Amino acid sequence: MQVRRVSARKASAAFLTVLVLALLSSIQIAYAWNPTASDLTGTSSSTDNSVADALRRFDIDHTTAGIQTGEDTDSLAFLIKLQASQLLQSSPTADSSKAPIVTNPTFAYNSNPDDAATFPTSSNNGLWTITSFETGSGTIVSVDLYVRASATGDTDDTYGLTYTTGGTETTLWAPSTAALPLLDHSFLSLVEPNDGTWSWTDVDTLLINWLSNKVGGYTGAIVSVYEVWLIVKGYGFDATAMTANDQYEIDFTIGEEDFAMLFQATGAAAGTMKLFYRATGGGAWSNGETYVVGSITSGTAYQSVSTNLGFTLTSSTATVGSAKLVVKKTYLATLGATANAVSGIFAANFAGGTGEAGSGGATPNDLSPSSGGASWTLSEAIPDFPHGTLVLMAPVISAYLVLRKRNGAGDT
């Protein structure tokens, strides 16, 4: 029987292969990640919490600390809190009457639900208009109308209710002779009659029209209006209804390197995350990695194919929303970061950003301290040598070289 001899070189190579595979199998690969974040002390001191053109939808929350930081074993994250959905109660401030005579007309908008403006259904084509609703700022999602009113019934004299914003008149109550109980009557999600989209100009020009009409002789019917008001709903941040070029940015310094990572919206639910770097103290920014996502869902953690960058956009509802930007520590190390102290943390929102660090069409909306910047320390230092796998392999390579030397270079 022929015995095949295995060379020492092949044996040592096999030994190396086994050890490398064993080491590699112990390395945890991050397929996706979303580090938790907590408030960063001092980030609620800035009073710069409004951005021209950005409106409420784009404000950093200023009721709590506006920036958060967090990390896991391989990455660090910064989170910008964004305001919760807005509710504004808007009251009218004026009225006009063609006919009939209205008694105490201001009682319909004096914020007292217990007194009433009254008018009789004693005029032909009577019209009383309530106007000049209070306005605010922000993108409007919907407008609800509330009317606290009552009416006595009649056999033939009628009352009705319509509204307009200067164009088409829309009927809320068709002319009626029926008695109306005293209630807070609601008309939810009013349709904007001109282009279907509410603006604060529409709110300002909104007309609430009370109609009355006498048929034959007046028989004594009375309409009582205790209060008229709007609830205007807007959103703080909607990850699926962004405006192109909205920009969320975090700048920070690690050791001798400055970094800027940002998310720029390219559509209602699409955008690009970028990372820039430069030597501490200024100079031109260098481009790092870019990560593009074409369809974004609120609360979903997105991570680039390289696993270096990621983000999570969370819509605000009754609670604050957020824009979280995440970067891998070892990637920062390849760009020059070697320390574990993070300083000069600055968060900003821009309307009309260009996708470059520090760009924007308006003054940044930030909640960094008004002077000095924030500071924070990683719980785990960024490794000096970013390629951890190669570092782990160093002892294996040494073992292989020892075996090769011991067995001679000429073995076959």
Side-chain angles (χ1 to χ4, degrees), residues 71 76 78 252-259 280 327-343 376-386:
E71 61 177 313
L76 63 91
F78 295 92
F252 57 98
T253 298
I254 301 178
E256 300 300 318
E257 202 74 18
D258 292 338
F259 297 94
T280 300
V327 60
K328 184 165 284 186
K329 296 175 187 176
T330 51
Y331 179 54
L332 294 176
T334 65
L335 301 178
T338 56
N340 69 336
V342 183
S343 61
W376 175 64
T377 302
L378 295 173
S379 64
E380 178 185 346
I382 295 176
D384 292 333
F385 194 95

Side-chain angles (χ1 to χ4, degrees), residues 60 65 91 151 171 180 211 232 244 247 283 313 320 332 369:
I60 294 177
S91 297
T171 298
L180 183 70
L211 311 177
V232 182
Q247 186 163 312
L313 304 181
V320 295
L332 294 176

Side-chain angles (χ1 to χ4, degrees), residues 85-86 138-143 189-190 196 198 232-236 238:
S85 299
Q86 303 294 309
T139 301
I140 296 175
V141 175
S142 64
V143 174
S189 297
L190 293 181
W198 284 97
V232 182
K233 298 178 182 178
Y235 48 67
D238 188 341

